[in-house]
Amino acid sequence: MHPTSAHTPLATASAPPGPLRVLQAGAELFPLIKTGGLADVLGALPPALAALGHDLRLVLPGFAAVVDAVLHQRTVVELGALFGAARVTVRLGRLPFSHLSVYVVDAPLLYRRSGGPYQDADGHDWPDNLQRFALLGWVAAHLATGELDPAWQPQVLHAHDWHAALACTYLQAHASPVPRVFTIHNLAYQGLFPLSDFGLLGLGSRFLGASALEYHGQLSFMKGGLKHAHRITTVSPTYAREIATPEFGAGLDGVIRLRQADVGGILNGVDEAVWNPATDAALAQRYSAERLDGKAVCKAELQRSFGLEPRPEAPLFGVVSRLSAQKGLDLVLAAAPVALADGAQLVVQGSGERGLEQALLALAASFPGQVGVRVGYDEAGAHRLIAGADVVLVPSRFEPCGLTQLYALRYGSLPLVRRVGGLADTVVGADEHSLASGEATGIAFDEASPAALADALHRAVRLYRQAEVWRGLQRQAMSRRFSWAEAARAYEVLYRSMLATPV
Ligand code: ADP
Ligand code: GLC
């Protein structure tokens, strides 16, 4: 497991002081390419590390949105034909917003297509995802060894999710001593491919077995990260513990348990430049904890735009979510009628599984003026919904971190969450004790059942109708800060610890 080669001076006995050179690899980047929270993390964590003085670079697939946005691109290396692409060029440029340096893996045949980063417009996985993301991992690894860009060699490689996980495996194959961190954003998406495609990866046969990439008769990119990174992080401490159990381990809990000593959780943060109700240009009116009146304007505008009755006194529940089994929206469908009978309203913005889209639209049709559903992905709409709702529902079956509840806290829209993963770590559910101590920031429930959610919705409505108590909860919620600076310091400590002790 631990490479012994000492051909680079990077793995020294004591952690070098001063700035670190870190290469982060991933598939999404807000605001260029986003399907979920991974994009928000890659858009915020590298700049936060750079703000601490570190020399951060990113490596991203050359999706059209990336190639077209990155400034001052110059060719670092022409790689010719690789992973089925006729021509692969690695270019270095700067991100227009953060000015960070980014390596773009330009392979038009693999990445430049209309549709999503992982799926076509009809929601089918791209048939060549193995090649597309093996290439990302391969380039990240060879940047880390210094082979592709001799002018800049990182001291640490940090790969995110299965899309970049093979970077760890390729470095392992090279017996490279460059320390590598792998961050799991969601263990449920594993990058599984037919075992018969192993030959396309260009790895030796020792990487084929169950001690490496094989996972129940398939290839798992996620497993490459879990097996071949020196340290594994997840995006909340609770999820770091949960994934060692069969309930949350998505079949990989055994692999995680073997790496237990190297697994930890670092909470995500909120990018204040993007999510701050006092500066948010998407809102009908901006507001702050001191000047909450603007929030009522946002609520009225939300009710209007979703065709709801303009009732300022109605508790307004909101959901912004990928529509997938993870997010517990089946529970919302089952429990919502109880809260609606209580006089509440509900707005949902989401896209994903067709069945959930249809069921939500049917709910809206059954409760005209009381339920509004918008199927689709709309960044500004998400801001307006989170600002205008009184309560943001996140009843997930599992949640590695969750960002919408953090945004809800920041916007004084109380999160109602199931107590799992990052939701448990970031929201203090209102109960007798937390209300008395002033620590409560939301509403929480435990069991993944319609009855438990209905009970939580009912508690939320009761609290909402006590205006003074509600104000106090909002103030407390808005005072909570989940800062990227703090998360970046935790990653810095992790990086330095790896450099202090040869991995
Ligand atoms: P996940 O990554 O599992 O989807 P997170 O809560 O970490 O969950 O992040 C979700 C991100 O995607 C947030 O920035 C949220 O605002 C955004 N989002 C989800 N669905 C939509 C949508 N339909 N329209 C706009 N933004 C959305
Ligand atoms: C994943 C998780 C989510 C997390 C996000 C960013 O998509 O589902 O909980 O917040 O990654 O880390």
Side-chain angles (χ1 to χ4, degrees):
M1 177 75 229
H2 298 292
T4 48
S5 149
H7 76 267
T8 134
L10 292 176
T12 55
S14 61
L20 299 173
R21 291 184 306 281
V22 180
L23 179 66
Q24 296 212 2
E28 300 187 25
L29 180 77
F30 176 84
L32 300 181
I33 182 119
K34 168 165 169 174
T35 71
L38 174 66
D40 294 7
V41 173
L42 278 163
L45 173 61
L49 280 159
L52 296 180
H54 300 299
D55 184 1
L56 251 289
R57 292 191 182 182
L58 281 163
V59 52
L60 299 172
F63 301 126
V66 173
V67 174
D68 297 348
V70 171
L71 306 171
H72 313 305
Q73 293 181 43
R74 66 169 177 82
T75 298
V76 171
V77 62
E78 293 274 7
L79 292 168
L82 261 182
F83 294 102
R87 186 175 50 81
V88 176
T89 309
V90 179
R91 293 213 196 82
L92 181 63
R94 282 190 183 273
L95 291 175
F97 27 89
S98 64
H99 305 295
L100 278 190
S101 294
V102 55
Y103 293 100
V104 178
V105 186
D106 194 16
L109 215 61
L110 294 181
Y111 299 132
R112 206 174 237 290
R113 13 181 114 150
S114 48
Y118 320 120
Q119 298 181 328
D120 64 20
D122 296 326
H124 301 116
D125 288 350
W126 294 113
D128 52 356
N129 272 347
L130 173 132
Q131 290 94 323
R132 298 170 79 234
F133 294 104
L135 175 61
L136 174 65
W138 190 95
V139 169
H142 290 82
L143 283 167
T145 61
E147 286 163 84
L148 299 188
D149 185 0
W152 191 86
Q153 186 182 7
Q155 292 162 288
V156 176
L157 172 97
H158 186 164
H160 294 269
D161 259 355
W162 73 263
H163 326 110
L166 277 206
C168 301
T169 305
Y170 285 116
L171 282 173
Q172 178 80 10
H174 274 64
S176 161
V178 174
R180 37 199 191 259
V181 177
F182 177 59
T183 296
I184 304 165
H185 293 265
N186 195 335
L187 203 57
Y189 299 94
Q190 302 183 354
L192 297 178
F193 303 101
L195 210 53
S196 52
D197 284 349
F198 179 76
L200 298 172
L201 298 178
L203 286 163
S205 57
R206 70 191 167 101
F207 288 98
L208 181 56
S211 62
L213 298 185
E214 188 192 339
Y215 171 81
H216 298 296
Q218 289 181 288
L219 289 173
S220 163
F221 277 28
M222 177 66 87
K223 203 171 159 193
L226 301 180
K227 283 286 181 187
H228 304 129
H230 298 109
R231 298 285 187 279
I232 299 164
T233 67
T234 70
V235 283
S236 72
T238 294
Y239 190 63
R241 287 190 297 276
E242 288 172 342
I243 55 175
T245 68
E247 188 186 352
F248 294 98
L252 287 168
D253 45 295
V255 181
I256 303 275
R257 282 195 297 277
L258 287 174
R259 299 295 319 268
Q260 200 74 343
D262 300 317
V263 179
I266 298 176
L267 270 181
N268 289 333
V270 172
D271 188 341
E272 283 282 320
V274 182
W275 291 96
N276 177 351
T279 54
D280 193 330
L283 307 190
Q285 194 169 314
R286 297 173 201 173
Y287 62 92
S288 61
E290 296 71 42
R291 301 265 343 241
L292 264 175
D293 40 325
K295 188 161 176 24
V297 178
C298 294
K299 176 173 176 176
E301 174 56 23
L302 188 63
Q303 288 171 319
R304 192 200 56 74
S305 72
F306 273 80
L308 303 186
E309 289 161 18
R311 289 197 288 127
E313 79 293 351
L316 176 52
F317 294 106
V319 174
V320 177
S321 185
R322 285 187 294 116
L323 303 180
S324 80
Q326 171 187 348
K327 300 293 181 180
L329 294 159
D330 54 320
L331 303 177
V332 173
L333 285 162
V338 180
L340 298 170
D342 236 354
Q345 298 179 330
L346 172 68
V347 289
V348 181
Q349 178 180 307
S351 63
E353 288 172 19
R354 298 284 182 270
L356 282 169
E357 290 181 0
Q358 295 309 325
L360 286 163
L361 289 167
L363 183 75
S366 309
F367 291 91
Q370 215 178 349
V371 178
V373 172
R374 198 166 285 157
V375 168
Y377 194 93
D378 169 13
E379 195 66 33
H383 285 243
R384 284 192 282 270
L385 194 153
I386 286 177
D390 294 306
V391 179
V392 172
L393 306 180
V394 197
S396 306
R397 292 181 180 275
F398 66 93
E399 197 59 74
C401 178
L403 292 169
T404 48
Q405 86 280 9
L406 300 184
Y407 303 153
L409 288 167
R410 188 72 187 85
Y411 280 61
S413 313
L414 299 190
L416 186 158
V417 303
R418 177 151 176 257
R419 235 182 243 107
V420 285
L423 301 171
D425 292 340
T426 56
V427 177
V428 181
D431 57 23
E432 213 180 316
H433 170 76
S434 62
L435 283 169
S437 66
E439 287 164 277
T441 57
I443 298 97
F445 68 103
D446 290 297
E447 198 186 281
S449 71
L453 174 58
D455 175 66
L457 292 171
H458 185 63
R459 282 186 278 134
V461 171
R462 269 211 322 262
L463 285 167
Y464 177 77
R465 293 195 170 132
Q466 302 166 55
E468 272 314 299
V469 177
W470 195 259
R471 279 279 170 282
L473 284 166
Q474 284 182 304
R475 264 189 231 107
Q476 178 65 10
M478 295 179 87
S479 73
R480 290 304 315 269
R481 286 289 181 276
F482 293 92
S483 93
W484 273 116
E486 197 181 316
R489 277 192 292 273
Y491 284 104
E492 175 186 345
V493 168
L494 176 70
Y495 299 153
R496 287 199 194 282
S497 75
M498 297 169 77
L499 292 165
T501 331
V503 286

